[in-house]
């Protein structure tokens, strides 16, 4: 019997070296590369590296847009590094909205936890796909396309969204146009919005220039 | 103004041809290839191709293992084809269990909807990662590794699980060993289980040989 | 000597079967899949399948935005299928602009043929990268991010742009927001633009709803 | 003539910088990332980094299962890093068996060096593919599926196996279930094996709990 | 007990649909796409689709270069389609040589079955890596680089080579330069070989022009 | 209004962490890995990291082969790291030639800036695809195949070439065969060139052995 054990021990020896292939818990203190972060030492990996808590409670939606997004991406959940997946929670008070946005490097799948959510995306071919979703409904948003979610009902709504990338990125349209130092003249030239509109939204969103 | 319209129309013309790149709703009647199914004609794509309903209600857990898995993979939700994502719902009555299994081609991320779920996986290096999860907790299961979920409490539990593959595959250990025509002698030789155990489980799970 | 020939003939025999691996000229009449179009029969491939003409002359910029984009994507140049590359020509009359847009599935590299082009992109972290480019300058636009190009001078300008995808997609912001049937109320809710602005741009760009 | 040399020298200069793209010999002392190990300095690369010796002799099969696996994965052969390939040697004495196992991140191709090997795998759809192989026969085992090899004859057998991953991982079923600290109760719940069986195999394989 | 069976049957039902994800045996009669061939109907897959015989015997080396390559690529072994692997056998009589060649889309790993093989490759940085290998030695040839194998001894030698591509391609230098209709003037201009050399080799290898 | 700002600030907070996903400007001082170089600190990224100047002027073609290649690969343009693209300029004086070569890890697309360029490639199936190209014409060269460009006219010609890899590699046939220490006997054995030819070209190209 000891011989079996010995045999397996041998196999085990070389599979030890393969630890990195199963997973690669991110060392967020080291510089990332194109494929993600360097792994922490395999022997220091703990069960909690594969567990994330905090998506069980609604985010704070007491803001004007009445919405909250709570991410669990690689920066919050280092165990996702290299595994090609991430997750987030979305809360929408009545009247709440997740503004038009894209994820430059991920498709998204949304599952409605409760409430009524109107969601949609626009394709490269400029077709519009909008649907009002209820508890348990699922909708998919293909990679890189403009999409949005709004609370379509009179009660709070929430959803879980997953991405096929540990770090899906997020580009919120209004923030990209009006929340930075991109010159108003360039915004106007490239969007056909008038100067007053651009200046007003820059004022609200903290943009300069 | 018409000229702007005209200009955009031109751009639109060539982006029309790009429709397939955004998404590729599966034509399940045609043979798949290594990357997935052929796409249906882009002009026939409808909003409902990107929406799946049916994960809002618990699956039927009135069976001996007291569990149900309701998949929304490419075979059920053709809009996922080529998008690198899928989803499923998991229900566990008290005492319920999703038996030891692997997904040969996907990592999995689990979000607990309600209840108490004890889940775990075993790595190539033979480390065990087991955790009892509560509502809103998230756990990730790296690609190809043995894992399981059990109801760790006295009340029904459920979860949503996502995969980074529209067709993640599923290999349930007991079913692979005891639910087909793999010769008992080979099962015994390759698992060190005794003949009586193998025969008993083959009887339960419908295996022959 | 005939024996060498014979030997090579044998090698050649099996490499014949490998033709598809080198390239896969698209059969645009057959449905695409997630990885691209089916290949035409290898024996029907001609040199011209790998050559595209038509980017040598400026596109027609006599429109209000004074710009033209001439694509050579897989739909125009089937030899690109499966090769992970495409190209286009961009012409900008004085005052011309390629409006804010994204490519959902490709990074872009731009080479200025002549003239003065001001180009920029905005990152997920909301940083702005804008530069005025001259003949022979190169700029790269990472995948999925909002970007634009304008003629920064008083003379015509043109550029060649390459993508790391035979079908990079193109989502022009104004067209996505104002050039389709996405309900004005949803546009307003998700962009914070006012109703008058949305209606005006819908009028220009042909949007309804 | 010197001018040709000079011209090539120039080309050579920039291709020098491209060294990493050809190969990336692993620096095993540095932490890996999701795509593999950092490369050693290109100028320190030697021919022997691309050569591995030691698979020419049979492994020691004087154990109860009468089998030996000698790996040449990235941990043993750093030149494989980033190249998408690895290899191993398998020896089976009469009665020998490589127990049921998976490679979480690789497909495998087996070539019989000598002897008679019965090998098989089970698919996600629960079909069984078993074959007795002889010298020079080849069998492929798709990624992530349970498979095994046994000596089907009365003489020693051996094989070379290749993987499409420099670090394919290895999860041996018995070791995963019975060779670690996974609680017996969880093993029993998730495999339907009885307590006596689990305890017995845990005893043999060194498991606790 | 029937309930367990029933439960598994349900799981089995949806995993049936996942068959294509495990493997995709090529239908060689249908046009390939960039990712490989369409799959044959999963229910028609047989064990023999995963087995290839014929590499157990030496190829015929009674030719001037005293070498034979016997491929088992997707065209010969359709079960490899989509699995990212292939294999071949190489035989070299004394004095035999596999001429300088590349595989445009695969790295290669070579295992010496018997004899003495001198093999080498040249990197982009123009370094030369040459080694004389003996029985059981392994050498890796990175993707796309020129490499060769010769019999370095006085006895027959043979090897098994694996590739990380079901269809690795093969471009034999002499055949590419002298075995087709590429104009002699172009060969001479682009290789600096003189006209007599080019014409002589064209004569031997069947080239025209 | 401050609340909107606050909301976006929150979203911005987590997207900050996603900076690496958009781009990964190479830190060329650190060792690369299989996927590229480690990223510089995102806060140190400047607009100029995404801009490369120097391709606007012709390279020096006053050499015997009358050609110059000016690369803008990751080593020259670190902003390309991880983005899957690179670019170069090609200049050919009358009679100039870019000798037969391959890129081991990239397809190439060529755009003629001016002049007349005869270009071609040879496939694995040994078919020859040669074409004389004029200003604005485009030709694609599939990954890993031998190809060349020559000036087909009496005036200077130039082109821009793009690759789907930030570091495409470059293996120039003559340099690989005659410009290093690969033994003449091996060159002769593996190319069927005679000793005088090999020695002569080794003399010209600086080869030894």
């Amino acid at each position: 019997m000891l011989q079996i054990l010995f045999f397996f021990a041998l196999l085990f020896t070389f599979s030890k070296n393969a630890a990195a292939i199963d997973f690669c818990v991110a060392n967020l203190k080291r510089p990332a590369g194109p494929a993600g972060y360097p792994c922490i030492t395999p022997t220091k990996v703990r069960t909690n590296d594969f567990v994330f808590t905090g998506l069980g409670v609604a985010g704070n939606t007491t803001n004007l847009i009445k919405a909250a997004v709570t991410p669990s991406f690689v920066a919050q959940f280092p165990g996702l590094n290299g595994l090609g997946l991430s997750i987030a929670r979305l809360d929408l008070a009545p009247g709440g909205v997740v503004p038009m946005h894209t994820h430059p490097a991920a498709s998204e799948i949304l599952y409605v936890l409760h409430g009524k959510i109107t969601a949609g995306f626009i394709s490269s071919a400029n077709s519009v796909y909008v649907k009002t979703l209820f508890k348990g409904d699922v909708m998919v948003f293909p990679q890189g396309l403009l999409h949005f979610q709004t609370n379509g009902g009179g009660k709070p709504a929430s959803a879980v969204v997953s991405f096929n990338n540990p770090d899906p990125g997020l580009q919120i349209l209004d923030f990209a146009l009006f929340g930075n130092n991109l010159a108003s003249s360039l915004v106007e030239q490239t969007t056909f919005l008038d100067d007053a509109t651009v200046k007003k939204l820059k004022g609200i969103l903290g943009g300069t220039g």
Side-chain angles (χ1 to χ4, degrees), chain A:
Chain A
M1 289 303 171
L2 282 173
Q3 282 169 291
I4 284 184
L5 180 56
F6 179 69
F7 170 68
F8 280 114
L10 276 177
L11 287 175
F12 182 60
T13 300
F14 79 81
S15 69
K16 268 288 189 201
N17 294 313
I21 207 65
D22 287 343
F23 45 73
C24 173
V25 178
N27 182 345
L28 295 174
K29 292 174 186 164
R30 301 291 297 270
Y37 291 88
C39 322
I40 66 171
T41 307
T43 54
K44 293 192 176 165
V45 173
R46 299 287 172 266
T47 299
N48 281 345
D49 289 316
F50 302 108
V51 176
F52 183 81
T53 59
L55 298 190
V57 294
N60 183 354
T61 59
T62 56
N63 49 50
L64 273 194
I65 59 160
K66 301 170 180 163
V69 176
T70 312
S72 175
F73 297 170
V74 69
Q76 293 82 32
F77 186 4
L80 298 179
N81 190 46
L83 293 186
L85 272 174
S86 62
I87 200 165
R89 179 191 173 112
L90 168 60
D91 290 287
L92 293 161
V97 57
V98 179
M100 196 67 80
H101 66 286
T102 60
H103 304 287
S107 292
E108 172 181 342
I109 196 163
L110 176 149
Y111 175 92
V112 180
L113 292 170
H114 58 82
K116 184 178 169 185
I117 293 178
T118 298
F121 71 88
I122 302 127
S123 74
S124 278
N126 213 26
S127 294
V128 176
Y129 302 95
V130 177
K131 185 82 178 182
T132 296
L133 308 165
F134 298 90
K135 183 181 174 179
D137 287 351
V138 170
M139 187 166 180
V140 67
F141 306 92
Q143 176 175 330
L145 298 179
L146 284 165
H147 63 290
F148 62 89
Q149 291 99 10
T150 68
N151 188 330
K155 297 181 181 171
S158 64
V160 173
V161 288
S162 290
F163 304 90
N164 63 340
N165 193 320
D167 201 353
L170 169 63
Q171 182 157 58
I172 301 165
L173 177 57
D174 269 51
F175 209 47
L177 296 180
F178 310 119
N180 50 40
N181 65 344
L182 179 59
S184 296
S185 60
L186 283 173
V187 177
E188 293 158 22
Q189 255 189 295
T190 61
T191 62
F192 309 118
L193 295 173
D194 58 49
D195 186 59
T197 297
V198 170
K199 293 272 166 63
K200 187 182 74 176
L201 285 162
K202 281 211 164 214
I204 292 168
L205 294 165
T208 57

